[in-house]
Amino acid sequence: MALPPSAVRVEVLAARGLSHKGKSAFNAFVTMQLTNGGKKFATATVSHSTEPVWDEECRIPVTGMDADLQLVVQHRNKLGLEEFLGMLAIPLRQISSMSSWAQWMDLEGKGGNRDKRRGSLKTKINFIYDLNSPPSPSKPSGLKAENSPHSGGHRLSLKAAKSVVKGLSGALHHHHGHDRPPSSPKPSSHGPQQQQGAEAKQRKLSVDDVMQD
């Protein structure tokens, strides 16, 4: 008996030829969900384009094979409302027979309606059978660019590190300055006997001064 998949991995790469009510550009995004319930995933919104590129991935947990994977392309208008552009409805039982390579698929209307051209969506879809692999949320490709060595992220980190080291060095120097014990007074160059003699001489001078008076 074949092991059932633990999740379906969906890579939403790009769209082309989008068309709706004579619009020349769209603020397009894609939602992904299984028809038997579960969490809905969504890509970022690509603004002012008829050929948006997302290059994003999500993993949707599979709890049963009697369901469809729905990918819905939508436009977000100036009022923030969502307008339907087209969709794909793929039965899970057909995914195992699909090519593992990315492919373009024509978008349909609601209910599989093919009354007009709506454009196409480039996706890569396959099953995951690793039970220990947790599902991941939709991940924008921009996250990789921020961590790349050419994005300036490492230079900013190095600058911040230098600032921290400089601050720590100043704090340590200040701390050691306060911990330094006070300097002890220098010992007198006169010994105890010399000091006693000087005191006696001073007393003698005082007595002589009184007798003279």
Side-chain angles (χ1 to χ4, degrees):
M1 183 176 180
L3 181 69
S6 59
V8 57
R9 177 167 51 211
V10 184
E11 296 182 48
V12 179
L13 304 177
R16 65 186 179 189
L18 298 178
S19 177
H20 180 63
K21 296 181 179 180
K23 290 184 172 62
S24 58
F26 301 93
N27 302 321
F29 65 99
V30 182
T31 61
M32 295 148 280
Q33 188 178 29
L34 296 180
T35 55
N36 61 355
K39 186 176 180 180
K40 179 186 290 186
F41 297 85
T43 68
T45 300
V46 177
S47 302
H48 309 297
S49 176
T50 56
E51 297 186 351
V53 176
W54 293 283
D55 193 16
E56 299 184 25
E57 171 192 319
C58 73
R59 297 181 180 184
I60 305 177
V62 173
T63 58
M65 295 298 292
D66 294 326
D68 292 347
L69 170 64
Q70 287 188 344
L71 295 90
V72 182
V73 184
Q74 300 187 77
H75 163 68
R76 195 179 305 280
N77 62 26
K78 294 180 180 179
L79 299 177
L81 302 177
E82 301 171 357
E83 298 182 18
F84 176 84
L85 299 181
M87 64 178 294
L88 297 174
I90 306 171
L92 289 182
R93 296 187 183 277
Q94 292 183 7
I95 292 178
S96 58
S97 61
M98 294 175 61
S99 170
S100 60
W101 299 98
Q103 53 187 309
W104 289 98
M105 303 181 70
D106 291 334
L107 295 172
E108 302 176 348
K110 295 180 180 179
N113 190 354
R114 295 175 177 265
D115 57 340
K116 59 181 179 179
R117 295 183 61 85
R118 299 176 179 271
S120 54
L121 186 66
K122 187 178 184 180
T123 62
K124 182 179 179 181
I125 304 171
N126 51 42
F127 284 133
I128 297 175
Y129 295 90
D130 183 4
L131 298 178
N132 296 321
S133 178
S136 64
S138 182
K139 179 180 60 177
S141 59
L143 292 178
K144 297 179 180 179
E146 289 177 2
N147 294 329
S148 68
H150 302 290
S151 64
H154 292 288
R155 289 194 295 271
L156 289 175
S157 299
L158 180 60
K159 182 178 180 180
K162 287 183 177 179
S163 177
V164 171
V165 171
K166 184 177 180 180
L168 289 176
S169 299
L172 289 174
H173 179 74
H174 182 72
H175 178 72
H176 286 310
H178 282 287
D179 289 347
R180 184 179 299 167
S183 57
S184 57
K186 294 182 180 180
S188 174
S189 59
H190 302 287
Q193 294 181 355
Q194 292 179 346
Q195 291 181 358
Q196 292 175 1
E199 293 174 357
K201 182 178 180 180
Q202 185 176 4
R203 287 195 298 271
K204 182 178 180 181
L205 289 175
S206 300
V207 173
D208 290 346
D209 291 340
V210 172
M211 292 180 65
Q212 291 178 1
D213 292 340

